[in-house]
Structures are given as structure tokens and as C-alpha cells.
Amino acid sequence: MSGLQAGHASTNARDLETTEATKGGTRLTRRQALLGGAAAVALAAGLPSGLGGISATPARADGTTPPNIVYIIADDLGWADLGFRGSDIRTPNLDKLAETGVVFDEFYTQPMCTPTRAAFLTGRYPLRYGLQTGVIPAAGSYGLALDEYLLSQALKEAGYRTALVGKWHLGHAKPEFWPKQRGFDTFYGALVGEIDHFKHSSHGVKDWYRGNKPLEETGFDNSLFADEAAKVVEGHDPKAPLFLYLAFTAPHTPFQAPQEYLDRYKHIADENRRAYAAMISVVDDGVGKLMAALEKKGMRDNTLIVFHSDNGGVTSSLFAGDSKVSGGLPADNGPYRDGKGTLYEGGTRVSALANWPKMIRPGKLKGMVHVVDMYPTLAAIAGAPLDENKPLDGVNLWGSLVEGKPSPRAEVVYNVDPLAGAVRRDKWKLIWKAALPQKIELFDLSSDPYETKDLSAESEDRVRELQDRITDLAGEMVQPLLLMDATRLTFYAPPIAADPATLFNLGD
């Protein structure tokens, strides 16, 4: 059994057979470990006693609550485009969180936006429900499968107040796909993937909501998101824990920013890079505003904050989005190969951090981490039982976060769809472009993290092993909904007929 399969089996909440975990004389059944929440998990695993004080109930007798969770995702942020990565883009608030928290060495997402957001909220690879290919386009009629039990639903069931501020991009064509129907008490922001940051519209159609109702409002979207997130904290009743998912639309195209932020980067000659840098500063200022609100409310010490990008920065115009981009693409993925939309490290390995005062010691978390790991980790911290979700691909990282141990993950599935697949086991990564003409690349990431030397010709046994793994996953996958929708639009849409009046201007 592979490392992924072992983690998969260990988090299957529907498999409640009685097994026993023994640690220092303490014996727990699997059912107790699952339903007892984080305290039971901590006891069974021998984790620090701090986690054992987290209750599965909304409030304890002493009046304290389980930790608040603030989860922040940036949109198309380059790996190197943060101050703590050495960038000239100023991000003092994120730098402080990195300095006083944990920075992930190898944090992986999906190569594009919709799949990453789905993986986060399901704890499952998108190949399992058809969101592994591309993103949900503006004309898309599908969304994240309604039988997936989302993290927002699990946390709400555990007594959390749940709020989404920002970008959804997991289904907009039908109200049942929308955030309010998927476990969020409140929603403020945009449903589709890309909007004009000032006009709040996609292809000229307004896309701005509060709850399930369209909203007319002016202002730069990411500044409004920051203001709203602070208001959510300010108005929160501390008797219940808070799950705030803050999903910025920056620095995704179009490259736009308020003039005051553009003025901060007058020294950058390239217009795209100047606007891109300004957008990142808007995000950082928003994080600072949110931190101030948490401090003022007295919630900061009991709040876990996670921050990362949804994928690597854009290096190809093919993945820049709907907006027409003139000039160069400004994202910097550092030494990693390529960017958004690709299976190389530059498209999937992102800057990420976690911060929780007095609970998470500053440092680096080594080893592979995938965004699907956030579901079981946050559920355990919150004391949310895993008894309604489907089998998870994520693993619980709490022990690694608090004890500084390497991640227990031994495998990462970058993606699998009908055209290509990529998987990593330990140090070995295989990228298999299955569409003709085929291409196979094998990399040893321990000695070549930048994917400069293809070793496939000299490691045929390793190639076959990883190809077999991809083939097995392909047998499990749901066909990509994007391709199914494209087929519908191509073959089942009504015909486009010419105006008969034009016939009078044509000869026989």
C-alpha cells in the first residue's frame, strides 16, 4: 500500500470498524478517535496537550471555544512574489506571519484555480468528481458535485460560524452550487473566476453578491474584500468559533489597482509588473487590516491563519484568463519551472504559511504537503467528526505543525485527466503527457528540484511504476466536466443561422 493509499484509508470516515490506537497506555477505538474530534486524535497520536484542550463542542464550561480558523487564498500569486521570499514587492504583514509561524517547504496545489479550491473544500483530488481539467468557464453549466461534503459544512456542523469573502469559482449556473447552499452562513463576493476588479463584472455581466442576492457597489474588489473580512470579525459573536475563508482575486488578471497603490511602485517601469505588485500590496494591507480586527476583538491568540496561492504565477498567456493582456507576464515563480496551468513545480508548488500564536512554533515544515491535507487537519483542530464526508485523500498534519516534524505524506498526485498525469513518490516525479505525441519525463526532485534533467531513459523501472499509478488513478476518475460541457455546447446547442436579409446582398 502506498503512502497516499495508507493516508486515504486512515481518513475514510465511513469505515468505522473497531481498531485500537495505543499510546502510553491510552487505548482508543477508531470510532472514538473520529467522533471525539481533535482531543481524541491528540491523545491517540501522543500530540502536545494543547490540542487536547480543543473541544468538539462549540463552547466549553470555562467559556472558551475551539480555535477560530482564517483561511486566506491569493489568486495566481508567484512563488517568489512575497517579501519573505526576497521579492522587492513589499508584504510586511505576510512577512510577519511567516516569521512568527510555519513556512511550508513543499506546499502543493492543483495547477489551476477551480481544482485547487475544490481540493481544499473536499479534501479530495478533483479527479474524483470531474473538476480536474481547466476551470469552470463563464459559460459553464456545472459545479462542484452536490454530494461532496465540504469543509464548510463539517465546520458548521461542529458549531462554527462560517463566512466566505471573495472568490468562489466552484459553480455559478445554478443556485444550489452557490456558497450559501454549501455550508457558508454568509457570502460576499464573486461567483465566477475572473472579474473586472473595479466594475465587478465578467464579460460585461455583473457578478457581485451578498448572500444569494446581487449587489450594486463601487470600489476595488480586493479592498472591499478586506473591509468585509474585518467587518465579519468585528461583528462575530465570540461564543462560537469562526471559520473565515478569505479568497482574494488578486493578483489575477486584469492587472488593475487603485492609483494610490500604483504610486507605491513608480520605480517599476513595466506597467503590468507595477500593477501586479500593487495588487499584491492590496492583499497584504488587507491581511494587516484583518489581523488588526482580530487583535481588537481579542481573537488573535485563538486563531489559526493559513495563507497560500491557488496555483503558481502565470507565465503563459494561454492561462492568463479572459482578459486580453498586452506586454509581459509579471509573475515570478523563483527557480521553479514554468507556471500556472502546467504540471511542473512552477505551476503547482506555491508559497504557504500557517500561524497560530502559542500553538505553532516558528520554523519550516519540511516534506510534501498538498492542499487536500487542510480538510482533515482543520477538521481535527476544530473537533469536527469525519462521518459524512467521502474518503479523503488528505492527511492530518497537526503533529507536523506543532512538533516541527516532517510531513508524513509520501505521495502527491499533481493531477490526472485524459490528456496528462503527474505523480510524485518520495523524491521521484513523473509527468506523462498521454495525448499524442506522448511525452514522459522523470525527475529526481531531491537533487533537481527545478526539473532540469529528465531521467526517464535511464530509470525505466521507476517510470513503469509511476505510470502504473497514474493508470490506476485514471481508472478511478470521473470524466472531466469541462469536456462534457464543451461537448454539450458544441453538439447540442441550437444552430446559429444567418440573417435572411443578407441574402439579398449575395449573388446566386
Side-chain angles (χ1 to χ4, degrees), residues 276-292:
Y276 176 85
M279 295 172 82
I280 293 172
S281 282
V282 172
V283 169
D284 188 73
D285 281 1
V287 170
K289 180 174 290 187
L290 179 55
M291 296 304 101

PDB file of all heavy atoms in Angstrom, residues 276-292:
ATOM      1  N   TYR A 276       0.729  44.560 -10.990  1.00  0.00           N
ATOM      2  CA  TYR A 276       0.784  43.278 -10.296  1.00  0.00           C
ATOM      3  C   TYR A 276       1.321  43.460  -8.877  1.00  0.00           C
ATOM      4  O   TYR A 276       0.754  42.945  -7.906  1.00  0.00           O
ATOM      5  CB  TYR A 276       1.667  42.334 -11.114  1.00  0.00           C
ATOM      6  CG  TYR A 276       1.927  40.976 -10.532  1.00  0.00           C
ATOM      7  CD1 TYR A 276       1.035  39.924 -10.728  1.00  0.00           C
ATOM      8  CD2 TYR A 276       3.109  40.709  -9.830  1.00  0.00           C
ATOM      9  CE1 TYR A 276       1.297  38.650 -10.220  1.00  0.00           C
ATOM     10  CE2 TYR A 276       3.379  39.446  -9.322  1.00  0.00           C
ATOM     11  CZ  TYR A 276       2.463  38.425  -9.520  1.00  0.00           C
ATOM     12  OH  TYR A 276       2.738  37.173  -9.015  1.00  0.00           O
ATOM     13  N   ALA A 277       2.404  44.208  -8.746  1.00  0.00           N
ATOM     14  CA  ALA A 277       2.978  44.483  -7.426  1.00  0.00           C
ATOM     15  C   ALA A 277       1.985  45.240  -6.555  1.00  0.00           C
ATOM     16  O   ALA A 277       1.834  44.954  -5.355  1.00  0.00           O
ATOM     17  CB  ALA A 277       4.275  45.274  -7.572  1.00  0.00           C
ATOM     18  N   ALA A 278       1.298  46.211  -7.151  1.00  0.00           N
ATOM     19  CA  ALA A 278       0.310  46.997  -6.406  1.00  0.00           C
ATOM     20  C   ALA A 278      -0.824  46.110  -5.897  1.00  0.00           C
ATOM     21  O   ALA A 278      -1.301  46.272  -4.765  1.00  0.00           O
ATOM     22  CB  ALA A 278      -0.242  48.109  -7.296  1.00  0.00           C
ATOM     23  N   MET A 279      -1.244  45.155  -6.725  1.00  0.00           N
ATOM     24  CA  MET A 279      -2.322  44.250  -6.315  1.00  0.00           C
ATOM     25  C   MET A 279      -1.898  43.389  -5.126  1.00  0.00           C
ATOM     26  O   MET A 279      -2.692  43.133  -4.213  1.00  0.00           O
ATOM     27  CB  MET A 279      -2.727  43.363  -7.491  1.00  0.00           C
ATOM     28  CG  MET A 279      -3.341  44.122  -8.651  1.00  0.00           C
ATOM     29  SD  MET A 279      -3.588  43.090 -10.117  1.00  0.00           S
ATOM     30  CE  MET A 279      -5.129  42.288  -9.688  1.00  0.00           C
ATOM     31  N   ILE A 280      -0.649  42.957  -5.131  1.00  0.00           N
ATOM     32  CA  ILE A 280      -0.157  42.154  -4.010  1.00  0.00           C
ATOM     33  C   ILE A 280      -0.096  43.001  -2.742  1.00  0.00           C
ATOM     34  O   ILE A 280      -0.388  42.518  -1.642  1.00  0.00           O
ATOM     35  CB  ILE A 280       1.217  41.557  -4.360  1.00  0.00           C
ATOM     36  CG1 ILE A 280       1.056  40.538  -5.495  1.00  0.00           C
ATOM     37  CG2 ILE A 280       1.858  40.895  -3.142  1.00  0.00           C
ATOM     38  CD1 ILE A 280       2.350  40.015  -6.063  1.00  0.00           C
ATOM     39  N   SER A 281       0.241  44.273  -2.888  1.00  0.00           N
ATOM     40  CA  SER A 281       0.236  45.158  -1.722  1.00  0.00           C
ATOM     41  C   SER A 281      -1.173  45.355  -1.174  1.00  0.00           C
ATOM     42  O   SER A 281      -1.368  45.484   0.038  1.00  0.00           O
ATOM     43  CB  SER A 281       0.859  46.510  -2.080  1.00  0.00           C
ATOM     44  OG  SER A 281       2.271  46.423  -2.108  1.00  0.00           O
ATOM     45  N   VAL A 282      -2.163  45.394  -2.059  1.00  0.00           N
ATOM     46  CA  VAL A 282      -3.555  45.475  -1.598  1.00  0.00           C
ATOM     47  C   VAL A 282      -3.886  44.242  -0.751  1.00  0.00           C
ATOM     48  O   VAL A 282      -4.500  44.347   0.315  1.00  0.00           O
ATOM     49  CB  VAL A 282      -4.530  45.582  -2.787  1.00  0.00           C
ATOM     50  CG1 VAL A 282      -5.972  45.472  -2.302  1.00  0.00           C
ATOM     51  CG2 VAL A 282      -4.326  46.892  -3.536  1.00  0.00           C
ATOM     52  N   VAL A 283      -3.471  43.073  -1.219  1.00  0.00           N
ATOM     53  CA  VAL A 283      -3.700  41.846  -0.459  1.00  0.00           C
ATOM     54  C   VAL A 283      -3.004  41.923   0.896  1.00  0.00           C
ATOM     55  O   VAL A 283      -3.600  41.619   1.939  1.00  0.00           O
ATOM     56  CB  VAL A 283      -3.200  40.616  -1.247  1.00  0.00           C
ATOM     57  CG1 VAL A 283      -3.196  39.371  -0.363  1.00  0.00           C
ATOM     58  CG2 VAL A 283      -4.066  40.385  -2.479  1.00  0.00           C
ATOM     59  N   ASP A 284      -1.750  42.340   0.905  1.00  0.00           N
ATOM     60  CA  ASP A 284      -1.001  42.399   2.158  1.00  0.00           C
ATOM     61  C   ASP A 284      -1.623  43.401   3.130  1.00  0.00           C
ATOM     62  O   ASP A 284      -1.746  43.118   4.331  1.00  0.00           O
ATOM     63  CB  ASP A 284       0.453  42.770   1.888  1.00  0.00           C
ATOM     64  CG  ASP A 284       1.310  42.665   3.133  1.00  0.00           C
ATOM     65  OD1 ASP A 284       1.607  41.532   3.551  1.00  0.00           O
ATOM     66  OD2 ASP A 284       1.642  43.721   3.714  1.00  0.00           O
ATOM     67  N   ASP A 285      -2.020  44.559   2.636  1.00  0.00           N
ATOM     68  CA  ASP A 285      -2.691  45.530   3.506  1.00  0.00           C
ATOM     69  C   ASP A 285      -4.001  44.962   4.047  1.00  0.00           C
ATOM     70  O   ASP A 285      -4.377  45.211   5.200  1.00  0.00           O
ATOM     71  CB  ASP A 285      -2.967  46.826   2.743  1.00  0.00           C
ATOM     72  CG  ASP A 285      -1.738  47.718   2.636  1.00  0.00           C
ATOM     73  OD1 ASP A 285      -0.666  47.328   3.137  1.00  0.00           O
ATOM     74  OD2 ASP A 285      -1.848  48.808   2.035  1.00  0.00           O
ATOM     75  N   GLY A 286      -4.697  44.190   3.205  1.00  0.00           N
ATOM     76  CA  GLY A 286      -5.930  43.551   3.654  1.00  0.00           C
ATOM     77  C   GLY A 286      -5.684  42.555   4.764  1.00  0.00           C
ATOM     78  O   GLY A 286      -6.451  42.470   5.724  1.00  0.00           O
ATOM     79  N   VAL A 287      -4.601  41.797   4.643  1.00  0.00           N
ATOM     80  CA  VAL A 287      -4.233  40.864   5.707  1.00  0.00           C
ATOM     81  C   VAL A 287      -3.926  41.633   6.987  1.00  0.00           C
ATOM     82  O   VAL A 287      -4.334  41.236   8.083  1.00  0.00           O
ATOM     83  CB  VAL A 287      -3.024  40.006   5.277  1.00  0.00           C
ATOM     84  CG1 VAL A 287      -2.474  39.203   6.449  1.00  0.00           C
ATOM     85  CG2 VAL A 287      -3.425  39.075   4.139  1.00  0.00           C
ATOM     86  N   GLY A 288      -3.225  42.762   6.856  1.00  0.00           N
ATOM     87  CA  GLY A 288      -2.934  43.584   8.026  1.00  0.00           C
ATOM     88  C   GLY A 288      -4.191  44.116   8.687  1.00  0.00           C
ATOM     89  O   GLY A 288      -4.304  44.132   9.927  1.00  0.00           O
ATOM     90  N   LYS A 289      -5.145  44.543   7.881  1.00  0.00           N
ATOM     91  CA  LYS A 289      -6.415  45.036   8.422  1.00  0.00           C
ATOM     92  C   LYS A 289      -7.156  43.927   9.163  1.00  0.00           C
ATOM     93  O   LYS A 289      -7.742  44.150  10.236  1.00  0.00           O
ATOM     94  CB  LYS A 289      -7.277  45.585   7.289  1.00  0.00           C
ATOM     95  CG  LYS A 289      -8.625  46.127   7.726  1.00  0.00           C
ATOM     96  CD  LYS A 289      -9.369  46.788   6.568  1.00  0.00           C
ATOM     97  CE  LYS A 289      -8.710  48.088   6.156  1.00  0.00           C
ATOM     98  NZ  LYS A 289      -9.510  48.833   5.140  1.00  0.00           N
ATOM     99  N   LEU A 290      -7.131  42.733   8.613  1.00  0.00           N
ATOM    100  CA  LEU A 290      -7.788  41.604   9.250  1.00  0.00           C
ATOM    101  C   LEU A 290      -7.109  41.237  10.564  1.00  0.00           C
ATOM    102  O   LEU A 290      -7.775  40.963  11.570  1.00  0.00           O
ATOM    103  CB  LEU A 290      -7.789  40.407   8.295  1.00  0.00           C
ATOM    104  CG  LEU A 290      -8.408  39.109   8.784  1.00  0.00           C
ATOM    105  CD1 LEU A 290      -9.850  39.318   9.249  1.00  0.00           C
ATOM    106  CD2 LEU A 290      -8.347  38.050   7.686  1.00  0.00           C
ATOM    107  N   MET A 291      -5.771  41.261  10.576  1.00  0.00           N
ATOM    108  CA  MET A 291      -5.042  40.966  11.822  1.00  0.00           C
ATOM    109  C   MET A 291      -5.390  41.987  12.906  1.00  0.00           C
ATOM    110  O   MET A 291      -5.564  41.636  14.075  1.00  0.00           O
ATOM    111  CB  MET A 291      -3.534  40.969  11.570  1.00  0.00           C
ATOM    112  CG  MET A 291      -3.008  39.898  10.632  1.00  0.00           C
ATOM    113  SD  MET A 291      -3.447  38.219  11.134  1.00  0.00           S
ATOM    114  CE  MET A 291      -4.815  37.901  10.015  1.00  0.00           C
ATOM    115  N   ALA A 292      -5.483  43.247  12.519  1.00  0.00           N
ATOM    116  CA  ALA A 292      -5.830  44.294  13.481  1.00  0.00           C
ATOM    117  C   ALA A 292      -7.230  44.066  14.055  1.00  0.00           C
ATOM    118  O   ALA A 292      -7.463  44.265  15.257  1.00  0.00           O
ATOM    119  CB  ALA A 292      -5.738  45.660  12.814  1.00  0.00           C
TER     120      ALA A 292
END
